[in-house]
Amino acid sequence: MQAYLVGGAVRDSLLGYPVYDRDWVVVGATPEQMLQQGFRPVGKDFPVFIHPDSGEEYALARTERKSGKGYTGFLYHASPDVTLEEDLIRRDLTINAMAMADDGTIIDPYNGQRDLQSRCLRHVSPAFSEDPLRVLRIARFLARYAPMGFHIAPETLTLMQQLAQSDELQHLSTERVWQEFQRALGESAPEQFLRTLMQTDALAVLFPELLPAAQDSNTLSQINLASDPRVRFALLLRRSFAATPAEQRSQKIKLFCDQRRAPNAYRDLALQFCHHADQLCQFNQLDAAQRLGLVKNLDLLRRSEHLSLLLQGCAVICNNNLSVQQQLPLLLQALQQIDPKQLMAQGFKGKALGKAIDQAQLEICQQQIDGESV
Ligand code: ATP
């Protein structure tokens, strides 16, 4: 039996990138032999094993045959006589279909190295069209590699368009779609992910609500400027739901996030940002009560970790407008100095204590405004 490093690890090491995840393919072995060597099986009837020491994944070389809709509709055939080339041909892109032997030799039957050099994302075989997840994966790889000059081969783009226009995309699970989307939001050029989904018509099927943002070049450059994926998501939703009447916006955003199974951290920031971005960007024009209302609505006194994310979003939409970036953290700091115990020591309790805190907070907001006008 022979093990080869495959997929992303080979691609990234040839690109000179650090390698975090290493996947291996084992040729010429049976499941029983793997178990005898101490490997642990990943699942029942699935030819993937975990190395007892490194914890890395070792998959038996396999072929696959489409048996149903979606990316799960495949029948696998793993046996000791499946060759490395047969295993590599079922992979999505030529740059992901290379293997490396123990001695560092690259096995590259589908010209992945040529495509790495010409910065081309190209499918390996016509079987590419069998798995709709690949539309999302290739869009995500473009979001990662476009800044290095990569493009999608025209013939691959055509297959992606055909896939997106068939009914295959509807068979992807919500979790898998969100997973790819979230990963794309963390890549260096997430704008490319949306552009590619638009270009292939996949966006209209998977995220029709995001069409207004994806058609707006200003929003697309904004999401590239923000660095946190949650802020990028919030910027997209802000633009996408801009035309929704204010009283329906929360409900629509919540529905969108729930249907896509977006984690709460994404949903909450997007909701806050969509509602308060305008006020945040005009912070220096707000009076004391409005400033305090904003801090309370955003729940910043309890959840101050949101502050830096909100400010990141504001910096992007108001072109690094420094006023809110300086004023809001200062105000929050001052408000946090209010000590209810001191007020209690002065005899305030119950409702009167609440009122005294409110009053002290308002005064701090007013002091900030007075300080600004000096
Ligand atoms: P990343 O750096 O994003 O993790 P990766 O290439 O390592 O990229 P994985 O999802 O870990 O991505 O997949 C490992 C390898 O398995 C890929 O390089 C590719 O060869 C193959 N692969 C994974 N998913 C698919 C798919 N849907 N269709 C075809 N090949 C796939």
Side-chain angles (χ1 to χ4, degrees), residues 6-228:
V6 284
V10 180
R11 177 198 68 220
D12 287 342
S13 66
L14 288 172
L15 281 171
Y17 277 13
V19 170
Y20 300 107
D21 264 346
R22 301 200 307 170
D23 294 318
W24 301 84
V25 160
V26 184
V27 179
T30 61
E32 294 71 31
Q33 286 171 319
M34 298 299 284
L35 297 176
Q36 274 162 16
Q37 305 230 3
F39 283 83
R40 280 182 285 114
V42 164
K44 242 179 101 206
D45 303 330
F46 196 63
V48 179
F49 299 83
I50 303 291
H51 192 284
D53 303 324
S54 69
E56 291 172 346
E57 279 193 5
Y58 285 67
L60 296 187
R62 62 184 191 247
T63 56
E64 65 187 20
R65 192 161 53 80
K66 180 88 169 161
S67 59
K69 297 277 185 191
Y71 73 105
T72 50
F74 284 95
L75 284 176
Y76 295 108
H77 169 69
S79 86
D81 46 62
V82 173
T83 64
L84 183 60
E85 286 71 16
E86 283 172 325
D87 183 278
L88 294 176
I89 202 169
R90 68 182 175 80
R91 293 166 187 270
D92 47 7
L93 295 172
T94 59
I95 64 166
N96 289 341
M98 295 181 277
M100 193 191 281
D102 283 348
D103 62 0
T105 313
I106 302 291
I107 298 104
D108 181 16
Y110 308 109
N111 291 319
Q113 290 176 101
R114 176 202 62 196
D115 287 337
L116 271 187
Q117 251 159 27
S118 59
R119 303 290 193 237
C120 183
L121 304 178
R122 190 194 310 278
H123 65 279
V124 178
S125 84
F128 178 88
S129 311
E130 293 181 349
D131 177 0
L133 189 68
R134 291 171 188 158
V135 176
L136 291 161
R137 280 178 58 88
I138 306 332
R140 171 166 66 78
F141 281 119
L142 190 67
R144 185 185 304 172
Y145 294 125
M148 297 172 64
F150 274 81
H151 65 283
I152 301 176
E155 61 274 24
T156 304
L157 197 63
T158 304
L159 292 186
M160 290 165 70
Q161 272 157 345
Q162 287 167 3
L163 251 177
Q165 287 156 16
S166 71
D167 70 342
E168 282 275 339
L169 283 180
Q170 284 93 318
H171 295 274
L172 288 174
S173 75
T174 311
E175 287 77 7
R176 211 63 179 83
V177 172
W178 173 265
Q179 192 186 351
E180 289 296 328
F181 182 42
Q182 184 174 324
R183 289 178 77 181
L185 287 173
E187 299 292 0
S188 44
E191 160 206 359
Q192 297 293 343
F193 179 77
L194 289 158
R195 282 191 194 280
T196 308
L197 293 193
M198 276 259 295
Q199 217 179 346
T200 52
D201 290 337
L203 198 68
V205 179
L206 298 173
F207 298 106
E209 300 88 340
L210 298 186
L211 282 167
Q215 283 160 345
D216 178 29
S217 56
N218 193 27
T219 307
L220 291 181
S221 28
Q222 286 176 350
I223 63 164
N224 273 13
L225 287 173
S227 57
D228 190 285

